[in-house]
């Protein structure tokens, strides 16, 4: 199987990742003010790229594709 960085996250998946990432990142500035909030950059990054490396390794794909003939 060939490795590629094709989009593998759908729009709902990307929106949820962005929301979760923002919530985690907010932990750095409000609430417990913990450095663990910086982990929120990971879901934000994968949301903006539309590609999740873990999904690629596990063979998951939530991005609907249209097949044109």
């Amino acid at each position: 199987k060939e490795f590629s960085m094709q989009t593998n996250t759908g729009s709902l998946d990307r929106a949820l990742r962005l929301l979760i990432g923002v919530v985690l990142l907010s932990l750095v500035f409000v609430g417990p003010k913990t450095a663990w909030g910086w982990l929120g950059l990971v879901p934000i990054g994968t949301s903006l790229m539309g590609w999740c490396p873990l999904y690629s390794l596990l063979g998951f794909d939530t991005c609907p594709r249209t097949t044109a003939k």
Side-chain angles (χ1 to χ4, degrees):
K1 188 174 179 180
E2 187 176 310
F3 177 79
S4 68
M5 284 185 56
Q6 293 180 347
T7 301
N8 63 2
T9 55
S11 57
L12 178 61
D13 191 355
R14 291 173 78 173
L16 289 174
R17 287 170 183 266
L18 187 60
L19 179 66
I20 290 169
V22 168
V23 168
L24 285 173
L25 193 59
S26 72
L27 294 176
V28 174
F29 305 104
V30 295
K33 295 185 180 175
T34 176
W36 285 101
W38 290 110
L39 288 175
L41 292 174
V42 174
I44 290 172
T46 58
S47 172
L48 295 175
M49 288 188 306
W51 178 73
C52 177
L54 185 59
Y55 276 16
S56 291
L57 288 173
L58 299 176
F60 291 149
D61 191 343
T62 60
C63 181
R65 299 215 182 358
T66 57
T67 55
K69 289 187 176 186

